[in-house]
C-alpha cells in the first residue's frame, strides 16, 4: 500500500505517543483513507472479521479486510464527515440487528430501523447477522408441505417447510408474484413471513407492501428493504439481516418461517462492488473467489429443526434473474447447486399467456412427494409425464400432418391441462380446491369442454362441491386423503355439472 510521507509521519508520532500503553492503541484507530464507502483504518490490532466499528461522528462500519498494515472497513452510513485522521473505536461485537415479535407488520432497513413511519420498534433482543447454520444432528428431513397456493407448483414442484427452492427466470416473468402469492397463502397457517428486497426500486417495495396490507398479510410479515439507491454495504447485509430475524422465530419461538430473498443476483453484484473497492482479487466475471460461499452460508441457514431443538423451520425462496433464459451463468449455477430444486419461469410461456409461466420440464423439487399431502400425490403423480407427452407431440402437430385419434386425445387433454394450470396473480388457491381442479382435468372430464370454457367449468364444479358435497373438502382438509366414498361423491358432482351444460 502506498502511503504519503505525512501519513507515515502521523502514524509514527502516534506510535511514539502510545508507547507503553498498548491497550489504548489496540482499541482506538485512525482513518488513513476514505472513499466510495470504504475506509482504511490504522491501529485496530485486535479487530475481528465482521466486527462493528464506531467512527467519532456516530457512523458505524463493518470490518471486512484484515490486513497487516490496516483494516478495510465498509461504511454503514454517509462518509461526508469522515476524513483522514478521524478516530475509530472497536466495539468488540460483530454486526447485530434488533429482532423480535414487534418487528412483525413493519417495514425496516437491514439495520432494523423502521421505514414505515409507524414509530420506533421496541425490542431488547439482538442477533448477529452471521450465524452458524444448524448441523446435521440438529435437523430433520422435510415432511410438511409449505403450500404456495399455485396449482402448477404445489402439484409438480412441491415445497416443504425447511426447504430451499430457487425461483429463477428472466426479468418480468412473474418471479416476485410467485413469492408474494406464497406469502399471501400462509394466512392463518401460523407461518411468519419475511420479504427481503435487495436492490429493488423503492416504488416496487411500496407496491408489494400495499398489496400485502390490502389482503391482510402484513399481520404476519416483515419487509426488509434495501433499495437500489442505497450503499452496496447495506444491500450486502440485507439477506443476512432478514435471516437473523427468521432465526429468532425458529430458534426462540419454534415457529415456521418463510423468507424470500428478492433477488440474490443483485446481492452478488453488491458484494462484487464491495470486493473490488476493497482490492480483493477478482475472478470469473469480476466476482471474488468466495462468491459461492456468500450464498451457501446464507441458504444453509434454512432448515427444519429436529424435535429436540424445538421443531421450528426456515423455508427459503431465493430469486435469481437470468439473462435471455441462460441458466448456465455463473451466479445461477452456483445457487442451483446450493438449493433443493428450482422453479424456472420462461419468457415464451409468459408472453403466450401461460401464467404462472412455469416450465415443468426444467423445474424440479428435490424433496418431491414428501412435501405433498397424500391426495395431491395420488392425483398429480402422472401430471408431469402427461404434460411432457403433450409438449413433445405439440411440436409435431404444428406441421399439420394427419394425426391418429390417440395422439389427438393427448393434445386435447394437454391443452385443457395447461388451461387448468393458469392462475391469476395474487389469488392463491387452497390445496383442497386444487385437488378438485386436477381430478377433473386428469380423469378426462374436460375432453368435451371447449378450451376457453375450461376455467369456468372448473369453478362450476368447485361451487357444486361446496354447495352440495362440502364433506369432500372437509375430508381432504382433515385427513389429507380422498377416500373412495368421497371420490364417488366428486364424480357425482362433476356429472351434475356436465348435465347442466348439455
Amino acid at each position: 500500500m502506498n502511503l504519503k510521507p505525512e501519513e507515515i509521519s502521523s502514524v509514527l508520532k502516534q506510535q511514539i505517543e502510545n508507547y507503553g500503553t498498548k491497550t489504548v492503541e489496540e482499541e482506538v484507530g485512525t482513518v488513513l483513507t476514505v472513499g466510495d464507502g470504504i475506509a482504511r483504518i490504522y491501529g485496530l490490532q485486535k479487530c475481528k472479521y465482521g466486527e462493528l466499528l464506531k467512527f467519532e461522528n456516530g457512523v458505524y462500519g463493518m470490518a471486512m479486510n484484515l490486513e497487516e498494515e490496516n483494516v478495510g472497513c465498509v461504511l454503514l452510513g454517509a462518509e461526508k464527515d469522515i476524513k483522514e485522521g478521524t478516530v475509530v473505536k472497536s466495539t468488540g461485537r460483530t454486526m447485530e440487528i434488533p429482532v423480535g415479535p414487534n418487528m412483525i407488520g413493519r417495514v425496516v432497513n437491514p439495520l432494523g430501523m423502521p421505514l414505515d413511519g409507524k414509530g420506533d420498534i421496541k425490542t431488547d433482543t439482538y442477533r448477529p447477522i452471521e450465524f452458524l447454520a444448524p448441523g446435521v444432528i440438529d435437523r430433520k428431513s422435510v415432511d410438511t408441505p409449505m403450500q404456495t397456493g399455485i396449482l402448477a407448483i404445489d402439484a409438480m414442484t412441491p415445497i416443504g417447510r425447511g426447504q430451499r427452492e430457487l425461483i429463477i427466470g428472466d426479468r418480468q416473468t412473474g418471479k416476485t408474484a410467485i413469492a408474494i402469492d406464497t406469502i399471501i397463502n400462509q394466512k392463518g397457517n401460523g407461518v411468519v413471513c419475511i420479504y427481503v428486497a435487495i436492490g429493488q426500486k423503492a416504488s416496487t417495495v411500496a407496491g408489494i407492501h400495499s398489496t400485502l396490507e390490502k389482503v391482510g398479510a402484513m399481520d404476519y410479515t416483515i419487509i426488509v428493504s434495501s433499495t437500489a439507491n442505497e450503499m452496496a454495504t447495506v444491500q450486502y447485509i440485507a439477506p443476512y439481516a432478514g435471516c437473523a430475524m427468521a432465526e429468532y422465530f425458529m430458534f426462540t419461538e419454534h415457529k415456521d418461517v418463510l423468507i424470500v430473498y428478492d433477488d440474490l443476483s443483485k446481492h452478488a453484484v453488491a458484494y462484487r462492488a464491495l470486493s473490488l473497492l476493497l482490492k480483493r482479487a477478482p475472478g470469473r466475471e469480476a466476482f471474488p473467489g468466495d462468491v459461492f460461499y456468500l450464498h451457501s452460508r446464507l441458504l444453509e441457514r434454512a432448515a427444519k429443526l429436529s424435535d429436540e431443538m424445538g421443531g421450528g423451520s426456515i423455508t427459503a425462496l431465493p430469486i435469481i434473474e437470468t439473462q435471455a433464459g441462460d441458466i448456465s451463468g455463473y451466479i445461477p449455477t452456483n445457487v442451483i447447486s446450493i438449493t433443493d430444486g428450482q422453479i424456472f419461469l420462461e419468457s415464451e410461456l409468459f408472453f403466450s399467456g401461460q401464467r404462472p409461466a412455469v416450465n415443468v420440464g426444467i423445474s424440479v423439487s428435490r424433496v418431491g412427494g414428501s412435501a405433498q399431502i397424500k391426495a395431491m400425490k395420488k392425483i398429480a403423480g402422472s401430471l408431469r409425464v402427461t404434460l411432457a407427452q403433450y409438449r413433445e407431440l405439440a411440436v409435431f402437430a404444428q406441421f399439420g400432418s394427419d394425426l391418429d385419434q390417440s395422439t389427438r386425445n393427448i393434445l386435447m387433454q394437454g391443452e385443457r391441462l395447461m388451461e387448468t394450470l393458469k392462475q391469476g396473480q395474487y389469488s392463491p388457491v387452497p390445496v383442497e380446491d386444487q385437488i378438485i381442479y386436477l381430478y377433473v382435468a386428469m380423469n378426462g372430464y374436460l375432453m368435451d369442454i371447449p378450451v376457453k370454457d375450461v376455467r369456468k367449468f372448473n369453478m362450476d364444479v368447485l361451487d357444486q362441491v361446496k354447495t352440495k358435497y362440502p364433506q369432500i373438502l372437509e375430508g381432504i382438509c382433515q385427513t389429507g386423503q380422498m377416500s373412495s366414498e368421497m371420490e364417488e361423491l366428486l364424480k357425482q358432482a362433476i356429472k351434475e355439472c356436465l348435465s347442466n351444460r348439455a
Side-chain angles (χ1 to χ4, degrees):
M1 180 177 175
N2 297 322
L3 295 176
K4 297 173 188 173
E6 59 269 25
E7 289 173 345
I8 296 169
S9 62
S10 69
V11 167
L12 287 170
K13 280 178 188 173
Q14 186 184 352
Q15 284 184 324
I16 293 163
E17 286 167 9
N18 293 336
Y19 183 75
T21 57
K22 197 172 180 183
T23 51
V24 176
E25 189 226 352
E26 285 177 348
E27 292 175 354
V28 179
T30 52
V31 174
L32 294 175
T33 60
V34 65
D36 296 319
I38 304 292
R40 293 195 174 272
I41 302 161
Y42 171 81
L44 299 177
Q45 298 295 323
K46 284 190 175 179
C47 184
K48 302 189 288 284
Y49 177 82
E51 185 174 345
L52 211 56
L53 306 175
K54 188 174 184 181
F55 293 79
E56 62 181 42
N57 66 340
V59 170
Y60 282 91
M62 186 167 66
M64 284 190 70
N65 265 24
L66 305 180
E67 297 173 18
E68 193 175 348
E69 298 173 341
N70 60 73
V71 171
C73 166
V74 294
L75 302 177
L76 298 170
E79 62 181 59
K80 61 180 180 180
D81 295 326
I82 299 171
K83 55 186 183 295
E84 183 190 324
T86 299
V87 174
V88 187
K89 291 182 180 178
S90 62
T91 61
R93 56 194 175 92
T94 53
M95 181 78 189
E96 292 179 329
I97 58 151
V99 297
N102 289 344
M103 306 291 278
I104 294 175
R106 304 298 299 269
V107 182
V108 297
N109 69 8
L111 302 174
M113 298 170 185
L115 299 173
D116 50 11
K118 293 181 180 176
D120 293 339
I121 299 169
K122 295 184 174 68
T123 179
D124 299 323
T125 314
Y126 286 79
R127 277 191 72 89
I129 63 166
E130 298 274 9
F131 195 76
L132 198 62
V136 177
I137 305 302
D138 296 334
R139 298 172 183 251
K140 67 182 286 193
S141 58
V142 175
D143 58 5
T144 311
M146 173 69 76
Q147 304 289 354
T148 65
I150 300 166
L151 180 56
I153 294 170
D154 290 341
M156 289 178 286
T157 53
I159 301 169
R161 297 189 180 186
Q163 190 177 342
R164 299 151 302 177
E165 184 81 4
L166 172 65
I167 302 171
I168 185 167
D170 286 5
R171 65 185 300 276
Q172 297 296 316
T173 50
K175 300 186 298 298
T176 302
I178 284 179
I180 299 304
D181 276 350
T182 308
I183 290 173
I184 293 169
N185 199 50
Q186 303 316 309
K187 193 169 188 175
N189 292 345
V191 177
V192 176
C193 300
I194 300 171
Y195 176 81
V196 184
I198 308 160
Q200 301 289 330
K201 290 182 291 188
S203 58
T204 303
V205 180
I208 287 166
H209 176 246
S210 172
T211 301
L212 293 176
E213 204 153 52
K214 206 177 294 177
V215 297
M218 282 306 292
D219 297 343
Y220 52 87
T221 303
I222 304 167
I223 294 178
V224 182
S225 170
S226 61
T227 51
N229 70 327
E230 292 188 87
M231 301 166 69
T233 317
V234 179
Q235 293 182 40
Y236 160 67
I237 66 170
Y240 299 104
C243 196
M245 293 175 194
E247 282 174 334
Y248 167 81
F249 293 103
M250 178 174 75
F251 287 119
T252 309
E253 300 201 356
H254 310 300
K255 287 187 175 180
D256 293 310
V257 186
L258 171 70
I259 185 162
V260 177
Y261 303 114
D262 190 6
D263 66 87
L264 292 188
S265 305
K266 293 186 179 73
H267 182 234
V269 168
Y271 185 61
R272 176 172 65 183
L274 286 181
S275 297
L276 293 172
L277 288 168
L278 287 164
K279 294 185 168 52
R280 292 181 178 178
R284 181 175 160 188
E285 293 178 28
F287 286 105
D290 64 339
V291 74
F292 179 91
Y293 179 57
L294 174 79
H295 291 147
S296 65
R297 74 175 190 263
L298 170 71
L299 294 171
E300 279 299 318
R301 289 161 72 178
K304 183 171 177 64
L305 293 182
S306 63
D307 296 334
E308 291 76 19
M309 292 289 290
S313 72
I314 293 176
T315 308
L317 294 181
I319 294 175
I320 287 285
E321 186 179 296
T322 55
Q323 305 294 325
D326 179 21
I327 59 169
S328 63
Y330 187 28
I331 302 302
T333 49
N334 275 354
V335 183
I336 285 170
S337 67
I338 299 164
T339 50
D340 306 315
Q342 68 275 348
I343 296 162
F344 180 64
L345 302 178
E346 199 170 30
S347 300
E348 283 180 30
L349 284 172
F350 185 85
F351 295 123
S352 69
Q354 185 67 37
R355 300 175 189 177
V358 178
N359 181 323
V360 294
I362 301 176
S363 302
V364 64
S365 171
R366 296 190 185 104
V367 171
S370 306
Q372 283 179 313
I373 62 172
K374 287 181 180 176
M376 177 63 88
K377 198 190 300 187
K378 183 181 174 184
I379 291 169
S382 59
L383 177 59
R384 188 183 285 272
V385 176
T386 307
L387 285 174
Q389 285 178 327
Y390 163 69
R391 280 200 315 274
E392 195 176 333
L393 290 172
V395 174
F396 295 106
Q398 291 178 57
F399 301 117
S401 55
D402 290 335
L403 304 170
D404 59 72
Q405 188 58 45
S406 64
T407 304
R408 280 203 294 273
N409 287 344
I410 292 171
L411 288 170
M412 285 170 66
Q413 189 181 17
E415 286 172 355
R416 285 152 180 77
L417 266 174
M418 294 298 277
E419 191 66 23
T420 301
L421 293 176
K422 286 183 182 177
Q423 199 169 324
Q425 193 174 351
Y426 309 140
S427 54
V429 178
V431 66
E432 58 272 20
D433 295 4
Q434 293 178 15
I435 288 166
I436 303 296
Y437 293 157
L438 272 182
Y439 187 90
V440 175
M442 293 298 289
N443 289 284
Y445 291 107
L446 298 175
M447 297 300 271
D448 296 327
I449 309 288
V451 174
K452 62 181 175 61
D453 295 338
V454 162
R455 294 171 77 184
K456 184 183 182 306
F457 181 74
N458 284 335
M459 293 297 294
D460 291 344
V461 172
L462 187 61
D463 289 342
Q464 185 77 350
V465 168
K466 285 180 177 176
T467 308
K468 290 187 69 176
Y469 308 101
Q471 62 268 42
I472 299 174
L473 299 175
E474 288 167 11
I476 294 170
C477 285
Q478 289 166 7
T479 65
Q481 299 185 47
M482 186 185 286
S483 64
S484 53
E485 293 84 4
M486 287 155 60
E487 193 171 341
E488 288 304 317
L489 290 173
L490 180 53
K491 286 177 182 174
Q492 183 64 34
I494 296 167
K495 283 172 185 169
E496 287 169 10
C497 288
L498 286 169
S499 62
N500 289 343
R501 281 185 60 85

